[in-house]
Amino acid sequence: MSAPATTRRMIAVMVLVPVAVALALWVFAWPAARIAPQDLPVGIAGPATATAQLEKGFGQREGAFEVHRYADEAAARQAIEDRVVYGAVVAAPEGTRLLTATAAGPMVAQFLTQAVTAQAPAGAKIPVTDVVPTPAGDARGSVLGASVLPLSMAGIATGAVVTLLGLRGARAAVTLAGAAALVGIAATAVAGSWLEAITGDWWTEAGAIGLTVLAMSAGAAGLAALLGRAGLGLGGLLMVFLGNSFSGVTSAPEMLPEPIGLIGQLLPPGAGGSLIRSVAFFDGAGAGASLLTLSVWVVLGLSAVLVGARVRRPAPAAVETRAAEPALVG
C-alpha cells in the first residue's frame, strides 16, 4: 500500500471516530438531557368548581400537559388502568389527592408527585395512591428499561446470522420466526418466572417479546435482502442506535423532546417496550397502536425477505454457465 493511501486511511480514522462518538452522544444524551413533559396525559377528577384551580395549575406550563376531566375518582382510576392517562388529581371534600401508576413509568409518577406537591399550599401534604404499582420483584421498574437493548441486539443478531448463513426466502422467514419465539420464551422465563419483574399472562408476555424481536430481526433481514450487507448496517442504525435512545421505555414517550417520542414509537424497540408494558401490567390496555406498528414491521420485513430471495436469485442461464465451466476446463 502506498504512503499517500495509508495517510488517507489514518486521517479518515482520526476524523470519523470522533464524528461517530459525537453522533452517538447526541442520539443518546440529548433526549435524556431534555426530558420534560410534552402533552403528557393527566386527569383531573371532581366537580368543576373544585378542579378549576388544578386545571389552571397544569395550564401554566404551556404544551406540557394534556388534561382529561373525569366526574369522580372511580372514573379517573379506570382511565389510569386503561392507559389513557398516567395519573390523576382528585379534588374531594376531604382534600386533594393524587393517583399515579408507577408501572406506567416510575419517572412519570415521580414527576407528577413533585408537580402536584409544588402547587399545593405551603405545608400541605398530598396523599398519593399508586393505582398500578410496579411488582415486588422490580420495585424501581428498571428491568423493562434494561431489557430493550438486549432484545434489540438479539433481533439484529438473528437477522445478521440468517443473512450471513445464506438463508433465503421461506427458510429465512421460518428461521426468523422460530428464533424470535424462542427468545420470547427465554426472556419471559428470566424476567417473569425468575426475576418476577413482569406479572401479566405468561404466554401473552412471551408473545409480545417474541413479536418485538421478530419485528427487529425481520426488519434487518429484509433490508439486507434488498440492499445487501449494507442493509444490516441500516437495520442496526434503526433498531439499536435510534430505536433504543428514542424508545422512551425508561421514562415515557411523552417525556422526550418532540418529535423524538413519536419517532421512537414508530420503531420496534419503542413500540415493543410499550406493548410489553401494556401486557405485563395493564392486561393489554393501550396496546393497539404498538401491536399495529410491530405487525407492520414484521409484514414488511418478511415480505422483503421473500421478495429479495427472488430478485437476487441468479438467472437460469447464469446457473447453467457456471455448472458447465468445470467440464470445459477439464
Side-chain angles (χ1 to χ4, degrees), residues 4-92:
T6 302
T7 302
R8 286 196 296 270
R9 292 192 176 188
M10 292 171 59
I11 294 174
V13 170
M14 288 187 289
V15 172
L16 292 178
V17 169
V19 170
V21 171
L23 181 61
L25 286 174
W26 173 78
V27 169
F28 283 90
W30 175 59
R34 295 294 184 269
I35 286 181
Q38 309 287 336
D39 291 323
L40 184 73
V42 296
I44 294 177
T49 54
T51 60
Q53 190 62 32
L54 295 173
E55 186 172 352
K56 182 179 178 181
F58 281 121
Q60 289 177 351
R61 300 184 61 173
E62 185 176 355
F65 299 99
E66 179 185 284
V67 179
H68 297 245
R69 299 165 187 82
Y70 301 100
D72 51 30
E73 180 177 344
R77 283 177 173 268
Q78 189 61 53
I80 293 173
E81 293 171 355
D82 291 340
R83 298 206 71 187
V84 176
V85 295
Y86 283 91
V89 184
V90 179

Side-chain angles (χ1 to χ4, degrees), residues 139-203:
R140 295 183 178 179
S142 57
V143 171
L144 179 57
S147 300
V148 174
L149 179 58
L151 293 179
S152 300
M153 295 175 65
I156 292 297
T158 303
V161 169
V162 166
T163 300
L164 298 177
L165 289 180
L167 297 177
R168 298 288 184 267
R171 292 182 178 180
V174 171
T175 303
L176 292 169
L182 292 177
V183 170
I185 292 173
T188 305
V190 173
S193 301
W194 179 37
L195 297 177
E196 297 181 347
I198 52 178
T199 55
D201 179 76
W202 201 95
W203 287 106

Side-chain angles (χ1 to χ4, degrees), residues 31 104 127 132 149 161 163 181 206 229 282-284:
V132 187
L149 179 58
V161 169
T163 300
R229 294 190 179 184
F282 296 88
D283 294 327

Side-chain angles (χ1 to χ4, degrees), residues 306-325:
L306 297 175
V307 172
R310 295 186 178 185
V311 172
R312 300 173 69 87
R313 184 180 297 168
V319 174
E320 292 175 3
T321 301
R322 286 199 297 269
E325 286 177 354

Side-chain angles (χ1 to χ4, degrees), residues 5 13-14 32 140 194 216 226 242 292 298 305 312 326 329:
V13 170
M14 288 187 289
R140 295 183 178 179
W194 179 37
M216 291 185 275
L226 298 177
L242 297 179
L292 176 60
V298 169
V305 168
R312 300 173 69 87
V329 173

